[in-house]
Amino acid sequence: TAARQGEVTEQLWRGMVLLKRFTFRDLIETASIEIPETTARSYCKTLLATGYLRVLSKADPSKGVVARYLLIRDNGPKPPRIQRVKQVFDPNTREVFLPGARS
């Protein structure tokens, strides 16, 4: 549901702002609700594609290593929202970011 998704993105965003450097698994561990790995991974990938995150170390699935990210665009306390058309709406600045955007 929309309310549930908002709570999930709020928890993921809070983790990003708090940790600054993280993996999607770190975000799951810091959340106070249960978040599926696929959801956390997808949110990170979308924020990476729209210029919110930078990769600190790449994933290596053959070794069980997940990507480590750095938060580079913290526009405020409200979490960026992924829209159905795969763009990101930032409620803090009221801007829309498209995949491929860089900060």
Side-chain angles (χ1 to χ4, degrees):
T1 66
R4 171 80 174 128
Q5 186 60 36
E7 186 179 9
V8 167
T9 56
E10 188 173 301
Q11 291 283 318
L12 293 170
W13 182 246
R14 263 193 227 145
M16 290 177 185
V17 171
L18 176 72
L19 298 172
K20 305 289 186 228
R21 299 172 194 282
F22 54 86
T23 68
F24 76 87
R25 289 184 179 144
D26 295 333
L27 300 176
I28 291 169
E29 288 175 17
T30 62
S32 61
I33 61 172
E34 189 172 325
I35 299 174
E37 279 195 6
T38 54
T39 302
R41 185 183 297 127
S42 175
Y43 192 65
C44 287
K45 284 183 178 181
T46 302
L47 293 190
L48 174 66
T50 53
Y52 281 83
L53 306 178
R54 180 178 301 142
V55 174
L56 292 175
S57 59
K58 291 184 178 184
D60 186 348
S62 67
K63 295 180 182 176
V65 175
V66 296
R68 186 162 190 77
Y69 302 101
L70 172 67
L71 178 63
I72 58 173
R73 182 185 288 154
D74 178 359
N75 290 339
K78 296 177 185 173
R81 291 187 231 152
I82 300 171
Q83 298 178 322
R84 286 184 188 184
V85 292
K86 299 301 179 196
Q87 64 187 19
V88 173
F89 172 72
D90 191 321
N92 300 292
T93 62
R94 306 202 53 76
E95 292 178 275
V96 172
F97 297 94
L98 302 172
R102 295 289 174 236
S103 61

